[in-house]
Amino acid sequence: MAVPALALVALALTWGRSLSAVTGVLVALLLAGAVLAAVHHAEVIAHRVGEPFGSLVLAVAVTVIEVALIVSLMLSGGEKTASLARDTVFAAVMITCNGIVGLSLLAGTLRRRVAVFNAEGTGGALATVATLSTLSLVLPSFTTSARGPAFSPAQLGFAAVVSLAMYGLFVLTQTVRHRDYFLPVATPHTEAAGQGTGAEKHAPRPSGRTALTSLGLLLVALVSVVGLAKVESPIIELAVANAGMPQAVVGVVIALLVLLPETLAAVRAARRDQIQISLNLALGSAMASIGLTIPAIAVMSIWLEGPLVLGLGGTHMVLLALTVAVSTLTVVPGRATLLQSGVHLGLFAAFLFLAISP
């Protein structure tokens, strides 16, 4: 409970100032603590409202952090951040669809040999992620209305509207029309543990007052994360430049930072044999990352000067296409083994390596 408040105080004391090495380390620790606190309080709210609303709360909370970080960095970074939104969104897709999914399947299959989930809901989520990724990150490399891998203003507006519409339709499907498609599949192990179809019955449901308190602390933590990341951004950019790495690595670092707590939550769910919750978190975060980031960037482009690069290069297109193909083969059977987890983690390792050494 104290971490969000401490992070907010640190933000007030460091805003607009150059940081020494020691201060930078302390701010980074508070930033990490604020991220963990944000997801912890999101989990409390999620436990109160139940599944699949819980996964939705976590995904949106994490995405709000990501969008705010991208916007704040692009507003202050000038032309060198023209591709930051693309790099961060693509990194989020690769981290969620390969990193989080791979680790979750690894945790589940090491424990029970076979990970079982609902193919109908997960397949719909994957189809939405694939469509949004292609529309927002691949098509700009082939359109001709604007120079370079970018959308014209009209095309960007269209992509923003479609992204929001698809994300809204998915949320409606997940929470109202086909909610049962996104609930964990009951297995003998979950039944024996008293978890039923995915409700976490092993822990008492938080009271309404506790949930409201967590909501307030979640908002404080989100503000702290955005502000402290803005304070830390010059250090991140300097470290990347000194290491001789491409500028795109900054986007990867942001995505890794923001999605780390989401990864921990997904792996914990997988260890409880609730693979569906892990997949809801992973694919929901990927979808929200695109569905909310692109509209935010479209609005922000009114004030941005210079180009807004969204189109992926050839290497990243190949990785995205391979991710979609592998994910489809993983999802369709509704069951996965250690092999599938290894394939996804291999793809994630390839993404990280090629980000550092393109």
Side-chain angles (χ1 to χ4, degrees):
M1 188 172 292
V3 173
L6 289 174
L8 196 61
V9 171
L11 173 61
L13 294 175
T14 58
W15 184 261
R17 301 182 182 181
S18 299
L19 303 183
S20 65
V22 175
T23 305
V25 171
L26 291 175
V27 170
L29 291 175
L30 285 173
L31 172 60
V35 171
L36 293 173
V39 177
H40 165 72
H41 292 297
E43 283 186 318
V44 173
I45 299 169
H47 195 183
R48 171 69 183 179
V49 300
E51 285 296 327
F53 299 97
S55 300
L56 183 62
V57 169
L58 289 174
V60 171
V62 168
T63 304
V64 168
I65 298 174
E66 179 189 346
V67 171
L69 290 179
I70 293 172
V71 170
S72 62
L73 290 174
M74 290 188 71
L75 285 175
S76 62
E79 290 189 4
K80 67 179 181 179
T81 60
S83 63
L84 180 63
R86 177 200 66 184
D87 297 334
T88 307
V89 170
F90 178 67
V93 172
M94 298 303 292
I95 292 168
T96 53
C97 293
N98 288 316
I100 298 181
V101 169
L103 287 174
S104 298
L105 293 180
L106 178 64
T109 55
L110 285 178
R111 187 176 177 85
R112 301 297 181 193
R113 295 178 65 87
V114 176
V116 182
F117 49 88
N118 204 323
E120 291 92 341
T122 307
L126 177 62
T128 309
V129 170
T131 301
L132 289 176
S133 299
T134 303
L135 176 64
S136 302
L137 301 177
V138 176
L139 284 183
S141 296
F142 297 95
T143 55
T144 58
S145 296
R147 294 183 60 185
F151 275 144
S152 68
Q155 291 169 339
L156 183 59
F158 174 79
V161 171
V162 172
S163 296
L164 274 178
M166 284 192 181
Y167 184 65
L169 180 60
F170 172 78
V171 170
L172 176 66
T173 302
Q174 184 185 37
T175 59
V176 180
R177 295 186 66 88
H178 298 286
R179 181 183 175 188
D180 54 314
Y181 286 1
F182 299 90
L183 297 178
V185 177
T187 67
H189 304 294
T190 55
E191 294 288 354
Q195 296 171 8
T197 59
E200 294 185 54
K201 298 180 181 178
H202 60 283
R205 188 184 182 203
S207 64
R209 182 176 180 179
T210 300
L212 286 175
T213 301
S214 288
L215 178 60
L217 291 172
L218 173 62
L219 294 176
V220 172
L222 291 177
V223 171
S224 301
V225 167
V226 172
L228 291 179
K230 179 70 165 57
V231 171
E232 282 282 305
S233 61
I235 297 177
I236 296 174
E237 293 173 353
L238 181 61
V240 169
N242 289 340
M245 298 180 185
Q247 183 67 23
V249 175
V250 175
V252 177
V253 172
I254 292 174
L256 285 171
L257 173 66
V258 171
L259 291 170
L260 176 60
E262 192 87 338
T263 304
L264 298 177
V267 172
R268 285 200 298 267
R271 288 180 60 83
R272 296 193 298 266
D273 295 321
Q274 296 176 332
I275 301 297
Q276 186 62 52
I277 294 179
S278 301
L279 297 179
N280 288 348
L281 287 168
L283 297 177
S285 295
M287 196 182 313
S289 177
I290 305 171
L292 299 181
T293 300
I294 298 304
I297 296 301
V299 173
M300 193 185 69
S301 65
I302 299 173
W303 296 278
L304 281 176
E305 296 181 2
L308 177 60
V309 177
L310 286 177
L312 295 173
T315 301
H316 288 166
M317 286 187 199
V318 171
L319 285 175
L320 180 60
L322 188 55
T323 296
V324 172
V326 168
S327 298
T328 301
L329 295 175
T330 297
V331 166
V332 168
R335 299 162 63 88
T337 65
L338 187 63
L339 175 61
Q340 279 90 350
S341 71
V343 173
H344 282 281
L345 291 175
L347 273 174
F348 180 57
F351 160 70
L352 291 180
F353 178 77
L354 291 173
I356 297 172
S357 179

